[in-house]
Amino acid sequence: PRTMPPKRASSKETQAETQAEKRYREAIDEVAEEYVCPITAELPIDPVTAEDGRCYERCAIEKWFTWKPQTQLKSPVTNELMGKRLLPAVQVRNTLKRLVESGAISGSKVDAWKKAMTEEAGLAVIRQRAAGGDAYAMTKLSCAYRDGKRGLKKDATQAFLWM
C-alpha cells in the first residue's frame, strides 16, 4: 500500500500560527518590560521591591535614596512618599534568568543583562580568591570597591579592608 505524504498546513493555518507566535512574543516582551528598572532603564541584576511596590536595581534605588532628604523621600515612579525598606525580588531575578537563557527575550537590554551577569560571576571568583588569601585578587577587589567598578558601589571602608 502506498503511503500518503503528510498533509501540508493550509495558508490560513500557517498565518494563524505566525500571528499566535507574534502575540506570544509580544506578551513575553511586555512581561519582561515590567521588570525594567525605572531608574536605569535596564533589566535589574540585583532586583529589589521598594515600598512603592515597584521593582528596581538595588544600587540605583539606593543611590536615589542618598539624593533625597529622609523626610521628603518620594517614589521615582509615582512621586508619592515612601520609606527606604527594600525587599529582595528573588522571583524577578529567577524569571529574568529563565527568560534570557531560554531565548524568550532578546535585544540590547538582554545583552547588557548578560554582560552584567558575566561580570558578576567574575567578581564572585575574585571575591572567593581574595577570601582565600590571594593578594592579587584582594588588590583587584579593593580597587573595585575604591572605584565603584564591577557592579560594586564605591565603598572606602571595603576598599581599605581588602588592601
Side-chain angles (χ1 to χ4, degrees):
R2 293 174 54 178
T3 57
M4 298 296 289
K7 184 178 175 184
R8 283 194 226 170
S10 72
S11 171
K12 286 182 181 179
E13 289 173 345
T14 305
Q15 191 176 27
E17 287 175 16
T18 304
Q19 296 242 336
E21 288 173 15
K22 184 178 179 183
R23 284 193 310 271
Y24 173 72
R25 171 78 54 197
E26 287 172 355
I28 289 176
D29 287 344
E30 287 174 13
V31 168
E33 199 62 35
E34 284 293 316
Y35 296 136
V36 169
C37 172
I39 297 171
T40 65
E42 296 289 341
L43 294 171
I45 302 302
D46 186 10
V48 293
T49 303
E51 289 187 20
D52 64 352
R54 304 292 175 155
C55 184
Y56 298 93
E57 176 65 55
R58 180 183 298 278
C59 63
I61 191 67
E62 286 176 348
K63 190 180 284 186
W64 175 268
F65 291 160
T66 63
W67 293 339
K68 305 294 178 188
Q70 179 66 31
T71 57
Q72 297 299 317
L73 189 60
K74 293 184 178 181
S75 164
V77 176
T78 65
N79 206 32
E80 298 290 324
L81 289 174
M82 65 182 268
K84 287 188 171 185
R85 198 170 100 193
L86 301 173
L87 299 173
V90 177
Q91 293 94 343
V92 171
R93 182 179 171 109
N94 292 342
T95 300
L96 288 173
K97 185 176 182 195
R98 286 185 187 108
L99 288 172
V100 169
E101 288 176 351
S102 71
I105 58 174
S106 59
S108 61
K109 289 178 182 163
V110 170
D111 294 340
W113 190 86
K114 286 179 179 178
K115 181 181 177 197
M117 289 301 285
T118 300
E119 288 175 1
E120 185 179 86
L123 180 62
V125 170
I126 292 170
R127 187 180 302 278
Q128 184 179 19
R129 289 181 180 159
D134 182 325
Y136 181 69
M138 292 168 77
T139 302
K140 284 177 81 170
L141 192 56
S142 174
C143 290
Y145 274 113
R146 181 195 66 204
D147 301 334
K149 302 285 184 178
R150 298 183 179 265
L152 297 173
K153 59 184 174 180
K154 286 186 179 184
D155 187 331
T157 303
Q158 285 295 320
F160 178 78
L161 290 173
W162 284 107
M163 276 309 279

